[in-house]
Amino acid sequence: MPSSPSFVVVFGPDHFNGFFYELMPAFCIGTSAESSKDWHLESGPLRVPRELALDCVRFLQSRDFDVAVSHQMKVDHGITIPLLKLTGALARYDVLPIFVNCAADPRPSFRRVRAFGEAVGEFLGNHDMRVSIIGSGGLSHDPPTPRLDRSPPEVARRLIVRHTPTQEEFDARESRVIQAARDLLVGKGPCLAPSEEWDRKFLETFLGPNHEDFDRMSDAEIDRVAGFGAHEVRTWVAAAAAARKAGKLQSELRYYHLVPEWITGMGIVVGQG
């Protein structure tokens, strides 16, 4: 994180904590945002500059992106963890939270995600600000997230109807994830093991000049090889597109490690322009 950025932009997913099938946008920008209490993380409001967020929405509309707007966005660990880990607090800097639908099929295509990121980058490039852009999401991972078309009615209802999960609901869901990780380590289902081969291939393309290659990625292939959670690399693609559009960028892989205990491949790429 550069010292004292003027502004932080976070492209992040959600895990049916703030966005539900009741009304699921492909993209949403918050003019105000508050974090959930999933994984017992710090909760509270983010410092969102309302007028700048609205200016971004209007600019995107001028570029033919009818992005959704939330004046009371709920964000979960997909956005709060990078803020807490990279800045030390939820509200240390002005933040523009941008939700990208990664969990709820049908999702926006990688081509559309990339173009959306470029439009955000064009907006940022028109402002004299020192901006940090974050794409927050896992690489290959296959957590036991319910799928709407495979869930019993009571579970499907929880995916559809907008509600704020209780702490007990958070704890129960998180316990299932922890148990799934333990099962994975001893060779049991239901989770697909993370794939270093898939991660490395993605990172190789990500560090290269031709991000248009991501346009050919299919959800079916991701589900089969990298797992349900790997759809979150959409946030990486959007963030990189925004950063590249805003200015020249030199990127490097700072860290990669396969972490079966967390059911995921973990990577950090840093770019400076």
Side-chain angles (χ1 to χ4, degrees):
M1 174 69 63
S3 60
S4 300
S6 306
F7 193 49
V8 178
V9 179
V10 185
F11 292 88
D14 179 76
H15 307 79
F16 294 104
N17 293 317
F19 291 87
F20 299 86
Y21 272 114
E22 182 177 86
L23 185 61
M24 181 62 69
F27 310 106
C28 184
I29 288 179
T31 66
S32 173
E34 185 168 0
S35 67
S36 68
K37 297 180 180 180
D38 59 325
W39 295 101
H40 292 268
L41 293 166
E42 175 185 332
S43 62
L46 279 58
R47 207 172 86 188
V48 183
R50 175 185 170 88
E51 291 306 317
L52 187 62
L54 287 171
D55 286 346
C56 183
V57 170
R58 294 186 181 103
F59 181 88
L60 291 170
Q61 289 175 335
S62 77
R63 296 299 187 270
D64 296 328
F65 284 94
D66 297 317
V67 60
V69 181
S70 174
H71 294 294
Q72 193 175 5
M73 183 183 279
K74 297 292 186 184
V75 299
D76 70 1
H77 68 272
I79 285 179
T80 60
I81 283 180
L83 288 175
L84 292 169
K85 295 298 183 181
L86 297 177
T87 76
L90 293 176
R92 182 178 180 185
Y93 298 108
D94 283 349
V95 175
L96 180 65
I98 304 180
F99 163 75
V100 179
N101 173 28
C102 302
D105 181 61
R107 309 167 186 86
S109 70
F110 277 88
R111 179 185 61 81
R112 190 65 171 166
V113 166
R114 184 173 58 82
F116 175 76
E118 288 179 346
V120 173
E122 187 179 354
F123 169 77
L124 297 173
N126 292 335
H127 291 74
D128 184 19
M129 299 184 296
R130 186 174 187 178
V131 181
S132 290
I133 302 173
I134 301 170
S136 165
L139 294 171
S140 63
H141 65 299
D142 190 40
T145 305
R147 280 66 155 174
L148 185 64
D149 59 350
R150 306 180 196 174
S151 298
E154 65 275 10
V155 175
R157 181 173 175 79
R158 290 202 297 272
L159 300 178
I160 294 170
V161 179
R162 177 176 295 276
H163 70 290
T164 301
T166 65
Q167 192 60 60
E168 289 75 17
E169 288 174 319
F170 278 134
D171 291 345
R173 287 163 53 177
E174 290 152 15
S175 293
R176 287 195 294 272
V177 175
I178 292 169
Q179 186 58 52
R182 290 171 175 163
D183 289 343
L184 177 65
L185 289 175
V186 296
K188 297 168 59 178
C191 299
L192 186 70
S195 169
E196 181 168 354
E197 180 181 359
W198 189 90
D199 291 344
R200 295 287 186 183
K201 183 178 179 181
F202 172 83
L203 290 168
E204 181 181 1
T205 303
F206 190 79
L207 292 166
N210 299 318
H211 280 201
E212 296 84 357
D213 291 347
F214 289 129
D215 297 358
R216 298 193 294 271
M217 291 179 68
S218 73
D219 283 8
E221 179 72 4
I222 290 174
D223 279 337
R224 185 180 68 82
V225 179
F228 185 83
H231 296 292
E232 292 178 358
V233 295
R234 283 172 165 81
T235 67
W236 290 55
V237 172
R244 290 181 172 202
K245 193 69 174 181
K248 292 183 179 180
L249 199 66
Q250 296 292 325
S251 299
E252 64 173 317
L253 178 64
R254 291 282 182 88
Y255 175 88
Y256 175 77
H257 196 66
L258 206 67
V259 190
E261 295 85 352
W262 293 356
I263 327 179
T264 187
M266 304 293 293
I268 298 173
V269 174
V270 175
Q272 293 183 332

